[in-house]
Amino acid sequence: MKQSFRKDERLKSDKVIEMLFSRGNTFLVHPFRVNWLTENKTGDIPAKVLIGVSRKNLRKAVQRNQMKRLCREAYRKNKHILYDHLEDRNLRCDFSIIFIGKERAEYSVIEQKIITILKRLISELEQHSNTNTSSS
């Protein structure tokens, strides 16, 4: 799989973002908060992601931009974990990764947390699909 992070893999639609934060599911892997929403696959991109950093904790734009760059890089390198799972089950997932930590983190810590987030998201998707099939 190509390790790229193209424009169409980013979540940009205001309508979808509003729905993600109002009706989506949430979990916390400190120092990140993740909101996610899933649906049956439409299109060729299995996942769209929004990466953000809280202005409340990192006041300077330079620091926030640096954290976003590090998070995007860690996601770009490890997104295959999630993509393989979604493609096998013919699902699409929109999610946000928001950094809510009080101070900047090292890249190795961020990458480890992003991997944990992707694995946790897979388990959340499995639980969600199991509850949907059992209630039908």
Side-chain angles (χ1 to χ4, degrees), residues 39-48 90-94:
E39 59 188 48
N40 288 332
K41 190 170 184 180
T42 55
D44 59 339
I45 305 295
K48 290 194 175 198
N90 202 28
L91 291 173
R92 183 167 151 239
C93 183
D94 297 328

Side-chain angles (χ1 to χ4, degrees), residues 5 11 20-21 27 29 31-36 48-54 67-68 71-72 74-76 82 94-100 110 113-115 117-118 121:
F5 188 48
L11 185 58
L20 175 69
F21 285 106
F27 64 87
V29 176
F32 295 100
R33 186 180 72 229
V34 179
N35 294 40
W36 60 275
K48 290 194 175 198
V49 65
L50 168 84
I51 296 176
V53 178
S54 170
M67 286 305 301
K68 284 190 274 190
C71 293
R72 280 194 302 263
Y75 174 74
R76 180 187 70 81
L82 179 64
D94 297 328
F95 66 104
S96 68
I97 301 173
I98 310 292
F99 181 81
I100 56 172
I110 291 172
K113 294 293 183 172
I114 294 288
I115 292 169
I117 286 170
L118 295 175
L121 186 57

Side-chain angles (χ1 to χ4, degrees), residues 79-121:
K79 69 181 180 181
H80 63 87
I81 297 167
L82 179 64
Y83 274 39
D84 294 342
H85 177 80
L86 292 172
E87 287 172 347
D88 289 346
R89 283 151 186 80
N90 202 28
L91 291 173
R92 183 167 151 239
C93 183
D94 297 328
F95 66 104
S96 68
I97 301 173
I98 310 292
F99 181 81
I100 56 172
K102 300 271 185 217
E103 54 195 40
R104 291 186 290 173
E106 295 293 320
Y107 176 75
S108 58
V109 173
I110 291 172
E111 186 173 29
Q112 210 169 22
K113 294 293 183 172
I114 294 288
I115 292 169
T116 305
I117 286 170
L118 295 175
K119 289 179 181 177
R120 170 92 184 263
L121 186 57

